Amino acid sequence: MKIRATLLGTVFAVAGFGAANAAEVSVTCDTVGQGHDLCVKQVKMWEEKTGNTAKIVSVPQSSTERLALYQQILSSGSNDIDVFQIDVIWPGILGSHLLDLKPYSKGIEKDYFQPIVANNTYKGKLVAMPQYTDAGLLFYRKDLLEKYGKEAPKSWEELTATAKEVQDGERKAGNDKIWGFVYQAKAYEGLTCDAIEWVDSFGGGGIVNPEGDITINNPNAKKALELAASWVGNIAPEGVLNYMEEDARGVFQSGNAVFMRNWPYAWSLAQGADSPIKGKVGVAALPKGGDNGKQTGALGGWQIAVSKYSKNKDAAASLALWLTSKEVQKMNALEGSYNPTIPSLYADKDVLKANPFMGELLDTFSNAVARPSRATGANYNKVSNAFYNAVHTVISGKATANASLTKLEKDLKRIKRKSW
Ligand code: GLC
């Protein structure tokens, strides 16, 4: 009895402390896969722990549109949103509006992947804590490849041929909805990721190199885009030109694609209890371009930041640290197959059991190709915009790769002027 009374006393004391200082903050959550529901659950846990409350503000799914909304809010100095989930490519764009989290993190960032911590450091300030990391992956139908005696393709040329063969075979067998390959080819940030993978895998570099030189107008980039243009209407539906992540997943998960390019989050859903393809999915590194190419995946991922204009900075920083904590990252990995940003979680048995690819494809995650957001700083969004539009005109058959890359180089020079 005595113990119980003491425990209750403690609970009331904590709740009482929280209530007296209770703050309300607003926060943006993830938008794809199970990220939103996980965030809602984790925000509730934080409310219970601290006595504070948090309002969840809904945001668009497209990273491009989400950035436009954030810029609108932050550039007016508004405090409408306290806690922002931000893309790995945004610290250089939004950094000047974000709070330095170092006084709150108390050094915990040393337990996180250091390249991401460096990425999130803007003018010496830790403007965001890493939440999860992403790399583009190839998802494939194990059962279909087995049926046709094929392996997961090592090159894009092989993928193109296998996708066509299996697609044609399955159509003959009566599945007229099946496609060979689905991915993200709408004109938005997602296409920048897919296309940088094609280009880099052919040895065509990363649009702009780390020194800031514009490198995209090269023969390997041209080869990559020409091959990608051949997919549309052949192994990929015309509609792919308007697909984002969840569109591709919808087609693949309903059993209507042989291959899909997507991020790790798609794994937990494809393997979910109600998934028609549960148990039939394989995950591999994306193919290389040609014989001399390399396997690569775009580096993505999300961070949690706090607005400099927040009226409740302490509560907002506490929520940001909670949403990026080891406990939350483990939950995200187990329930939503989101890759942790804390190296020690890659040695966690539960995490590896739920997501075997996190161990098997460690190389893909460590060698992912970064978009040139560091080199181009605040101009990155313009660069990406020019790139995905140029790619979109090629893959939708409106311009040749040659003409489009020549124009892109000119556009990028105009954006750069003397320096980024
Ligand atoms: C994923 C990545 C992110 C990228 C986006 C593009 O969410 O984590 O970095 O910008 O996809 O759609």
Side-chain angles (χ1 to χ4, degrees):
M1 268 325 268
K2 199 154 177 238
I3 294 175
R4 196 160 170 255
T6 320
L7 270 179
L8 278 178
T10 316
V11 169
F12 283 138
V14 170
F17 172 79
N21 298 280
E24 194 190 35
V25 295
S26 51
V27 56
T28 67
C29 281
D30 204 77
T31 57
V32 297
Q34 310 191 72
H36 187 265
D37 292 352
L38 280 163
C39 175
V40 171
K41 184 156 109 184
Q42 292 152 0
V43 165
K44 211 171 264 157
M45 290 168 83
W46 176 78
E47 289 178 332
E48 277 158 18
K49 265 176 191 284
T50 63
N52 296 321
T53 50
K55 199 172 79 201
I56 294 169
V57 182
S58 49
V59 290
Q61 261 193 7
S62 151
S63 181
T64 302
E65 286 174 36
R66 216 199 297 192
L67 176 61
L69 174 74
Y70 286 7
Q71 283 182 307
Q72 204 182 339
I73 291 174
L74 289 169
S75 61
S76 68
S78 148
N79 61 3
D80 279 357
I81 299 176
D82 300 283
V83 181
F84 289 87
Q85 190 199 30
I86 71 164
D87 203 329
V88 68
I89 48 186
W90 298 344
I93 301 176
L94 301 177
S96 61
H97 302 288
L98 302 174
L99 188 71
D100 185 5
L101 293 173
K102 267 193 201 145
Y104 301 93
S105 67
K106 309 220 162 63
I108 189 88
E109 64 274 15
K110 72 173 186 327
D111 296 345
Y112 290 63
F113 281 127
Q114 289 311 297
I116 312 182
V117 172
N119 177 77
N120 296 359
T121 303
Y122 173 83
K123 299 196 170 159
K125 298 189 176 116
L126 180 64
V127 294
M129 282 296 288
Q131 187 191 30
Y132 67 88
T133 184
D134 259 344
L137 300 174
L138 181 69
F139 293 82
Y140 60 93
R141 285 284 300 280
K142 275 194 306 203
D143 57 326
L144 290 179
L145 292 196
E146 235 162 69
K147 180 170 164 190
Y148 290 81
K150 302 285 174 193
E151 306 263 303
K154 286 277 179 285
S155 71
W156 286 111
E157 292 81 353
E158 193 186 335
L159 178 141
T160 309
T162 303
K164 181 86 174 111
E165 188 180 330
V166 179
Q167 173 188 291
D168 290 354
E170 288 301 289
R171 284 193 187 169
K172 262 196 210 119
N175 183 359
D176 57 357
K177 287 210 193 101
I178 194 127
W179 285 100
F181 185 33
V182 291
Y183 45 98
Q184 297 74 41
K186 182 186 164 120
Y188 80 121
E189 187 61 33
L191 177 56
T192 290
C193 298
D194 285 41
I196 207 173
E197 287 164 350
W198 309 331
V199 169
D200 188 49
S201 75
F202 271 87
I207 313 170
V208 169
N209 70 16
E211 289 72 48
D213 309 317
I214 298 161
T215 59
I216 187 61
N217 192 9
N218 68 68
N220 288 329
K222 185 175 155 247
K223 264 192 229 157
L225 295 192
E226 281 169 352
L227 183 61
S230 79
W231 296 334
V232 181
N234 185 22
I235 57 167
E238 294 278 348
V240 81
L241 294 168
N242 217 12
Y243 278 12
M244 299 200 293
E245 284 79 1
E246 290 291 72
D247 305 299
R249 184 175 67 82
V251 175
F252 184 72
Q253 200 170 313
S254 55
N256 293 327
V258 185
F259 296 111
M260 167 177 73
R261 182 272 178 209
N262 217 324
W263 307 101
Y265 85 90
W267 168 253
S268 62
L269 292 151
Q271 288 296 98
D274 56 355
S275 165
I277 54 168
K278 183 174 163 57
K280 300 178 176 167
V281 184
V283 188
L286 288 165
K288 56 184 187 169
D291 292 339
N292 304 319
K294 61 172 177 189
Q295 294 195 285
T296 187
L299 176 69
W302 291 82
Q303 341 296 317
I304 307 286
V306 172
S307 163
K308 226 166 73 173
Y309 316 113
S310 168
K311 291 239 157 46
N312 290 303
K313 296 192 175 66
D314 290 355
S318 140
L319 179 55
L321 286 165
W322 164 246
L323 291 175
T324 52
S325 65
K326 194 168 176 181
E327 187 180 341
V328 164
Q329 292 207 17
K330 181 161 176 177
M331 194 188 294
N332 283 341
L334 295 185
E335 293 178 36
S337 58
Y338 290 96
N339 275 61
T341 57
I342 300 176
S344 63
L345 283 173
Y346 287 80
D348 185 298
K349 282 201 196 78
D350 304 334
V351 169
L352 296 177
K353 184 161 174 254
N355 308 289
F357 70 89
M358 287 189 191
E360 291 156 9
L361 300 178
L362 213 52
D363 269 4
T364 307
F365 293 107
S366 349
N367 300 320
V369 53
R371 286 160 279 172
S373 54
R374 293 291 277 182
T376 62
N379 280 307
Y380 171 72
N381 196 41
K382 284 189 195 145
V383 170
S384 176
N385 214 284
F387 179 62
Y388 65 65
N389 281 319
V391 172
H392 202 266
T393 57
V394 178
I395 60 177
S396 54
K398 295 196 186 106
T400 62
N402 226 349
S404 188
L405 288 175
T406 305
K407 179 175 179 301
L408 174 62
E409 185 177 32
K410 264 193 214 136
D411 291 346
L412 294 180
K413 278 187 179 151
R414 206 170 303 130
I415 298 168
K416 179 178 178 183
R417 299 213 189 113
K418 284 210 182 80
S419 72
W420 298 106

